[in-house]
Amino acid sequence: MNRPASIQVVNETVASVLTSLFHNTNVVYAMEGNNIFLMKRGQSAAVAQQNGRKVTGKVMDKRGEPIIGANVVVKGTSNGTITDLDGNFTLQ
């Protein structure tokens, strides 16, 4: 899930672009409202939460700069957090 990708499209839906980007990878996506969730194929965020796992990550913009104060939420739950000054987050 941590690999650079580049794609050029015109008049395509977000779903179409994401499907193209993640074709033949172990990454799946889900869209809910204005949010896009990326997960490894075969494991949902809910499964990780049920197993008591800690999930950490970093939210960055397209230039690789950290995004401060981004909301990160486990889909289907009220479990969430915001990113710190370096774009990092941790969820249990």
Side-chain angles (χ1 to χ4, degrees):
M1 290 179 52
N2 187 16
R3 68 177 175 90
S6 178
I7 189 170
Q8 292 183 2
V9 296
V10 176
N11 294 327
E12 293 289 335
T13 64
V14 172
S16 174
V17 171
L18 291 172
T19 299
S20 295
L21 277 174
F22 300 123
H23 181 69
N24 289 331
T25 70
N26 69 339
V27 178
V28 294
Y29 70 90
M31 297 184 343
E32 184 174 299
N34 291 330
N35 299 306
I36 299 171
F37 302 93
L38 302 180
M39 297 164 277
K40 288 185 179 178
R41 188 175 307 279
Q43 179 180 2
S44 70
V47 169
Q49 183 184 26
Q50 289 173 357
N51 292 336
R53 298 171 76 181
K54 180 164 67 168
V55 177
T56 61
K58 185 170 191 166
V59 179
M60 299 181 294
D61 66 15
K62 65 182 178 183
R63 296 183 317 259
E65 297 294 322
I67 297 179
I68 302 166
N71 291 310
V72 180
V73 180
V74 177
K75 183 178 179 180
T77 73
S78 59
N79 186 20
T81 188
I82 61 170
T83 57
D84 64 16
L85 293 174
D86 297 317
N88 298 311
F89 68 90
T90 301
L91 285 168
Q92 290 291 342

